[in-house]
Amino acid sequence: MEINTLKNNKFVRLFIIVFVIILVFIVTYSIYQMSYRAGKIQIVINTVPTDAKITLNDDEYKNGENYIVAGEYKIIVQKDGFKTIEISQDIIKPGDEVDIALEAESDSAKDWASKNPQAYSNFANIVDKKTNKDGAAFRTLNPIVNKLPYTNYLFSIGYKLDSSDKTDNSIIITINASEQYRQAAILQVKQWGYNLADYNYEFINFDNPFKI
Amino acid sequence: MKKKIITISIIIIAAVGLLIGLNYFLSLRDITFKLSTDVSEITIYKKANFENKKNPIKISSNQTIRLQTGDYIIVPSGEKIASNQINLTITKNAEVEINPNYSANYLNSLYAEAKTSIYQILVAKYPDIINNYSLQTGQLFIKGEWFGGLLVNIKSDRDSIKDCFKFIAHKENNVWQIVNYPDLILSQNVYKTVPAEIINTVNNFIAEN
């Protein structure tokens, strides 16, 4: 009976020690993570092959989730046998993803690529999903793009991204029409039910005489 | 026994009365009305009483009154102003500025003089091209300090529809100025300081043949 109690006490003590060690580890790890992530943003880097060397301004990062300070980066993704991809002056902001698939160059790399088609198709799926998601948000912000491009015998209406908006969510409506039909093109936008003032416009082959 | 019932009834009625009174007292808020100089009087109605015009409160100068929380409709009156109703929801003590736009009639009476001044500004600003255009349509807005206009090309070789340029002018310190420059369409993004209602109206100006 006494032996059993002693055994039990020993077990409880061991349990408490293990529990305290785990707790200390969790707290220390959390503090480390919090201090490491402070002031940084989460970005996801998807590469094929997944073990490619990824450097952002000479600091090495891994495939998957990473934490970096938002700003301008030179991104290099490389792996022996594959064509190195280098993107300079890329502005990384919250919510960004970096998706890079390396093209196989050497025979061994081509052999790897042919034996791992799944790696490339998974990558393509990730990019497709992201593009669709971004596309839906873009169309919600700029519903007129659902009608564009529009062309008839008299004029054409299209759009392009507004480079002054770094979020890539603003557009400029482009109207290509002779003087005779410019008002008709404007009327077309109104007839679709859009508020003219909501967009910026660029009239092709038109110089505004009042813009001095 | 009867006495007891009467006493209890009185107590209940008094308590209910007290609660109603307390509820009314606690729902009162201090509302300070500030009337612009062109407002001669405002009439305040509880929203529920507006249709029947019941229990109006009239105010003819800046003053603070106690009103119960709830929805109200204010009708301003004055020689120059539009008497469009103003909705007001009272939840806390507040200061309410009553500064309605001028009425369409009053704005129309100011239009001719404004149009002449603005055309002179256009002539001074665009001396080489302004003779090719006619200031065909125009409108004053708000308190007459905003003007939207439509310039139509009258010298184009084409017989059919020609370019129409919309523009907005703003009067500051009694001096008219053209905002930005006349354009085929006015975008809110470019005319950030101009109220949206003005831009939308001007964008809908159509040239007369």
Side-chain angles (χ1 to χ4, degrees):
Chain A
M1 182 70 177
E2 212 169 279
I3 292 167
N4 269 346
T5 314
L6 276 173
K7 265 186 183 171
N8 277 345
N9 279 345
K10 218 174 173 184
F11 179 75
V12 168
R13 224 175 288 157
L14 189 69
F15 177 78
I16 290 169
I17 289 167
V18 170
F19 178 77
V20 168
I21 289 170
I22 290 172
L23 195 68
V24 167
F25 175 77
I26 290 170
V27 169
T28 312
Y29 183 73
S30 302
I31 291 169
Y32 166 75
Q33 286 287 322
M34 278 166 65
S35 61
Y36 174 73
R37 293 175 184 181
K40 293 177 179 172
I41 56 164
Q42 187 195 63
I43 62 155
V44 178
I45 303 176
N46 298 310
T47 64
V48 180
T50 51
D51 60 349
K53 186 183 173 190
I54 305 158
T55 54
L56 274 68
N57 287 358
D58 301 328
D59 291 326
E60 207 165 315
Y61 289 86
K62 62 183 194 313
N63 192 68
E65 281 180 14
N66 289 275
Y67 289 84
I68 64 166
V69 176
E72 200 172 293
Y73 286 89
K74 180 180 179 181
I75 304 168
I76 301 173
V77 181
Q78 57 193 330
K79 184 173 166 65
D80 285 346
F82 290 82
K83 192 177 179 180
T84 299
I85 299 271
E86 192 174 316
I87 303 165
S88 51
Q89 292 185 322
D90 194 35
I91 294 167
I92 296 182
K93 49 193 185 305
D96 273 357
E97 286 192 18
V98 177
D99 303 310
I100 295 170
L102 299 180
E103 187 188 332
E105 279 188 328
S106 71
D107 290 343
S108 62
K110 283 175 183 167
D111 185 44
W112 180 89
S114 66
K115 286 177 181 167
N116 292 279
Q118 195 63 34
Y120 284 92
S121 65
N122 285 346
F123 175 84
N125 284 339
I126 289 169
V127 175
D128 273 357
K129 272 184 194 164
K130 185 174 168 276
T131 308
N132 288 337
K133 193 177 80 184
D134 289 353
F138 179 76
R139 281 169 192 279
T140 305
L141 287 167
N142 303 289
I144 196 171
V145 299
N146 293 313
K147 301 273 186 192
L148 304 177
Y150 176 85
T151 304
N152 63 20
Y153 293 115
L154 311 175
F155 55 81
S156 63
I157 308 172
Y159 72 94
K160 64 180 186 180
L161 286 179
D162 184 350
S163 58
S164 67
D165 179 8
K166 299 291 177 204
T167 65
D168 283 346
N169 278 325
S170 298
I171 59 166
I172 295 173
I173 306 288
T174 55
I175 295 179
N176 192 355
S178 64
E179 180 182 1
Q180 205 173 355
Y181 299 114
R182 274 196 279 269
Q183 294 304 317
I186 293 168
L187 190 64
Q188 179 64 69
V189 176
K190 270 202 271 189
Q191 279 174 346
W192 283 330
Y194 298 109
N195 183 2
L196 291 174
D198 288 347
Y199 298 98
N200 291 328
Y201 299 85
E202 184 179 295
F203 289 85
I204 293 158
N205 298 323
F206 163 74
D207 285 320
N208 186 337
F210 292 99
K211 193 176 177 182
I212 302 168
Chain B
M1 185 66 181
K2 216 176 179 184
K3 209 177 169 185
K4 260 188 186 175
I5 292 170
I6 292 167
T7 311
I8 291 168
S9 301
I10 289 169
I11 289 170
I12 290 171
I13 290 165
V16 169
L18 192 69
L19 278 176
I20 292 169
L22 197 65
N23 182 46
Y24 173 78
F25 181 75
L26 290 175
S27 71
L28 289 175
R29 300 289 182 269
D30 287 333
I31 308 297
T32 303
F33 287 95
K34 292 203 160 182
L35 315 189
S36 67
T37 50
D38 36 41
V39 176
S40 56
E41 186 181 71
I42 59 170
T43 309
I44 306 163
Y45 297 95
K46 270 200 154 186
K47 199 169 185 178
N49 296 337
F50 181 68
E51 214 165 294
N52 303 321
K53 302 283 186 287
K54 264 170 59 186
N55 306 327
I57 303 166
K58 288 183 186 285
I59 293 177
S60 54
S61 60
N62 295 348
Q63 71 181 87
T64 302
I65 59 170
R66 304 204 85 194
L67 291 172
Q68 267 189 288
T69 53
D71 293 328
Y72 290 82
I73 289 174
I74 299 167
V75 181
S77 54
E79 202 182 319
K80 301 174 183 176
I81 58 158
S83 31
N84 299 339
Q85 60 191 59
I86 300 163
N87 292 307
L88 173 70
T89 300
I90 295 174
T91 55
K92 57 183 180 182
N93 294 346
E95 196 175 284
V96 179
E97 201 169 324
I98 306 293
N99 188 15
N101 294 349
Y102 282 161
S103 66
N105 279 345
Y106 189 68
L107 287 173
N108 284 341
S109 73
L110 302 175
Y111 176 73
E113 193 186 332
K115 187 182 173 185
T116 308
S117 304
I118 288 160
Y119 191 74
Q120 283 167 2
I121 303 281
L122 288 166
V123 170
K125 199 169 179 185
Y126 307 105
D128 300 333
I129 56 168
I130 199 64
N131 286 335
N132 298 337
Y133 295 87
S134 152
L135 176 44
Q136 199 180 73
T137 308
Q139 189 179 329
L140 280 166
F141 297 90
I142 304 186
K143 295 258 185 186
E145 76 278 40
W146 291 99
F147 182 97
L150 181 72
L151 292 165
V152 181
N153 190 336
I154 50 172
K155 295 275 174 74
S156 171
D157 296 336
R158 299 181 188 282
D159 294 331
S160 54
I161 304 165
K162 301 162 185 89
D163 277 335
C164 304
F165 291 86
K166 290 126 188 174
F167 72 94
I168 286 169
H170 186 223
K171 188 156 76 172
E172 264 181 298
N173 300 325
N174 228 20
V175 178
W176 283 104
Q177 284 198 324
I178 308 297
V179 182
N180 210 21
Y181 51 84
D183 211 339
L184 298 175
I185 304 175
L186 308 181
S187 301
Q188 187 70 61
N189 199 25
V190 177
Y191 293 78
K192 287 184 173 132
T193 57
V194 182
E197 59 176 283
I198 298 176
I199 296 182
N200 293 335
T201 306
V202 176
N203 271 333
N204 287 320
F205 282 170
I206 294 171
E208 294 157 14
N209 289 323

